[in-house]
Amino acid sequence: MTGPVIKELRITPIAITDPPLLNSVGIHAPYALRTIIELVSEDNITGISEIPGNVDIDELLRQSEEIVVGSDPFQLNKLKSTLFQRYGHQEHDVRGDNPWDDRKLIHVYSALEVACLDLQGKVCNRPVVDLLGGRCRDYVPFGAYLFYKTEGAGGVFGHHIDANATGWAAARQARAENPQEIVDQARSMFEEFGFNSIKLKGGVFPPEQEVAAMHALSEAFGPQVPLRFDPNGVWSVETSIKYGKSLKGILEYLEDPTRGQQGMATVRQALNMPLATNMCTTSFEDIPGSIALGSEDIILSDHHFWGGLRASVYLGKICETFGKGLSMHSNSHLGISLIAMVHMAAAIPNLTYDLDTHYPWQSEEVIKGGRVKFEEGKVAVPTEPGLGISLDRAMLQQLHENYVKCGIKRRDDTSEMKKLYPDWEFMPIRW
Amino acid sequence: MTGPVIKELRITPIAITDPPLLNSVGIHAPYALRTIIELVSEDNITGISEIPGNVDIDELLRQSEEIVVGSDPFQLNKLKSTLFQRYGHQEHDVRGDNPWDDRKLIHVYSALEVACLDLQGKVCNRPVVDLLGGRCRDYVPFGAYLFYKTEGAGGVFGHHIDANATGWAAARQARAENPQEIVDQARSMFEEFGFNSIKLKGGVFPPEQEVAAMHALSEAFGPQVPLRFDPNGVWSVETSIKYGKSLKGILEYLEDPTRGQQGMATVRQALNMPLATNMCTTSFEDIPGSIALGSEDIILSDHHFWGGLRASVYLGKICETFGKGLSMHSNSHLGISLIAMVHMAAAIPNLTYDLDTHYPWQSEEVIKGGRVKFEEGKVAVPTEPGLGISLDRAMLQQLHENYVKCGIKRRDDTSEMKKLYPDWEFMPIRW
């Protein structure tokens, strides 16, 4: 018996409106880049996926065409080993200092894996969650992801980049710098999406100011709303311990206060408070160090750089085996990534924390039917074959034109920040 | 979209002719018990599996019918959580001192999982290996599994129990006690099955005698044939170190010389030789201790008690992550278990050791087409949907009649040994 054969790999870089959100490395550019992947079988069944956009990753994706075309989407082990044998020795394929992951090859495999699973599901007439062990839940809960931001809904100078953009993010012009503005942002997001938990992306302002925001959130929302706080690794071990202590009792977890597994382990021992990471333990190669040192309690996976949905399920089993929690990290993204996260999260028994998502901060959509709906902060697990979604080709074309016009080739929050503050510099440990 | 629904669970205990093989807890009875599971969907598609036979496991399987019937074979996570919620608090569900695993619930889930995967594969028109990530290899290699044995091909008194049994095992009357008889057994098995590696099940005779057998094998087969040796945990730490040293340089790995992770870790440190286990690390709950202590280099999985094929793939990822090797343990079994092992082993990239199998020691078969063929010690990975095999109902009936007639309810090698040697007693550490 022979399986379906992939006859075409389509790679479409797109640019989506992104608000001026602040983080430890700078500020979001007016557009975030994503890349949309389509795998078309000889039977004209199409599998799709979405990954962070980056001209280097796109180039490697294009190179992978010679491996992908002619292959069977069920042969994921073979696809991975062939890709890594062919391209695994590329220089500089390292995670980097950014809050996001800059490795190319694992992003390429992740992109192809999700599209293959979508294709598999369509061939088998089963939703992707059923190919991952079946659903543990019918709805996947997300949390409100708060950001410090400048005024405006797009671009660092406060102007609205895309006049056609609609929805909560496009309307949300308000600045968020002081604690009250953060509370206001949370209330607005809760009202729109029905979230039941909160994360604040910190590492932007001095620790006192950000800790004050967390206390303001705690007072405003009370103990029934879990709070998380993420300084993105820019605190020293001493600063993490000092300000971590002042957050005791109000946090569900503290995320990446400092850099590196050793630093995280020291902070964790000193604080006796759950620590989460998407910076110090970001690949299977990091797991032995994580276990030996005890660097975190909760791993925030991301299927875009852990190697796809199956790898995330494996990570879930590792977390369960070692008594760690599991949740999900996100970057600015559209509905394909969101729905892939939903299938995966539905298939992992021990995924018990609300997931991160930047989705509320985006305004456009590239899938038919438009923006994905949140009900009480949750997204329903699709029951249709594959991912259960399909591309809106007109929107894909429009967002690709945005990509061509905007001229951005890779994410660079620091350069964007320098437009506002020419003397601003990234510092791996700022406080 | 709704999936297939299971309408029937069939449980058929069978008894298969087993030669008088010796081990640390006694001797194999004239029949080994297996249980054959069939799950029938409303569309009359049948998924099958095979597990070690045991009247207590069979009883729990029967109880599970109320959960299984009406469920969707794709919802494995739900099946597992429901089973463990319902029956997870049963007393005495512990591994036990035997070389095999006596836990009931994990066997029940494993049996159902494999049958569900067979059903899934038939529904999707894909071989099971493709539902596990796809094939890493087209042939799965097994090793020659040597046993000390009394004379005869069935039963402790040397008589041939089943007059209809044919094949290598039925013909192999020869006693195997001294080193030359072990070498003869290996030569005979190599000739018949084409194996390229050897394991001797020890823990039967004093260490000097068994070590001499390994040296005789090394001399007879040379360095190109990997040798493994398994005293089944009945050596003390001191004995393991003493005789382990005398085996240095001739073993690919030493399996379970002593009991418990701490003892194994001590031996491993003293010997600096690869140790394997299917006794001290036999569940995901054992993994943290294994990593912390460094109790073994290679885990010998067994999908019948690790929780099925998907769980074994997860274990493979854990082994890869922590730099451990992975191979497979076996008990007396027929072709359904063998072929399930083959699908799983084909889907695990880092499964790089020849697998164990008792299969050559059996004479009967319960699948259509009869006994599975080994080519140069390897079994071809099926390409047909599901497991790619189906039940021979006449043989199933005949082997079930064997079960009814033989009167054996659970494996008890010690009682069988007492028929030969009334004063013989099992000792957890004998030497």
Side-chain angles (χ1 to χ4, degrees), chain B residues 3-6 39 41 71-76 113 115-117 119-120 123:
Chain B
V5 174
I6 296 165
L39 295 178
S41 77
S71 72
D72 168 357
F74 284 87
Q75 303 310 323
L76 293 169
E113 194 245 19
C116 282
L117 285 172
L119 235 173
Q120 286 187 22
V123 167

Side-chain angles (χ1 to χ4, degrees), chain A residues 19-21 147 149-154 158 160 166-176 180-189 360-361 363:
Chain A
L21 307 181
F147 283 81
K149 71 184 281 287
T150 61
E151 203 170 320
H160 195 161
T166 56
W168 181 85
R172 185 81 197 161
Q173 301 280 332
R175 188 188 75 163
Q180 186 55 49
E181 289 164 348
I182 288 293
V183 170
D184 290 347
Q185 187 184 92
R187 285 200 198 285
S188 174
M189 211 181 248
W361 291 106
S363 303

Side-chain angles (χ1 to χ4, degrees), chain B residues 128-207:
Chain B
V128 165
V129 60
D130 284 5
L131 306 179
L132 302 173
R135 58 176 63 203
C136 303
R137 49 192 68 84
D138 294 324
Y139 295 87
V140 171
F142 292 82
Y145 206 163
L146 311 184
F147 283 81
Y148 288 109
K149 70 185 282 286
T150 61
E151 203 170 321
V156 299
F157 301 110
H159 57 282
H160 194 161
I161 293 293
D162 185 342
N164 298 316
T166 56
W168 180 85
R172 186 81 199 161
Q173 301 279 334
R175 188 188 75 163
E177 291 183 0
N178 64 47
Q180 186 55 49
E181 289 164 350
I182 287 292
V183 170
D184 290 347
Q185 187 185 92
R187 286 200 198 285
S188 173
M189 210 181 249
F190 266 51
E191 197 173 311
E192 179 74 16
F193 300 97
F195 294 124
N196 299 293
S197 60
I198 292 173
K199 175 175 289 184
L200 172 63
K201 172 71 80 181
V204 173
F205 293 109

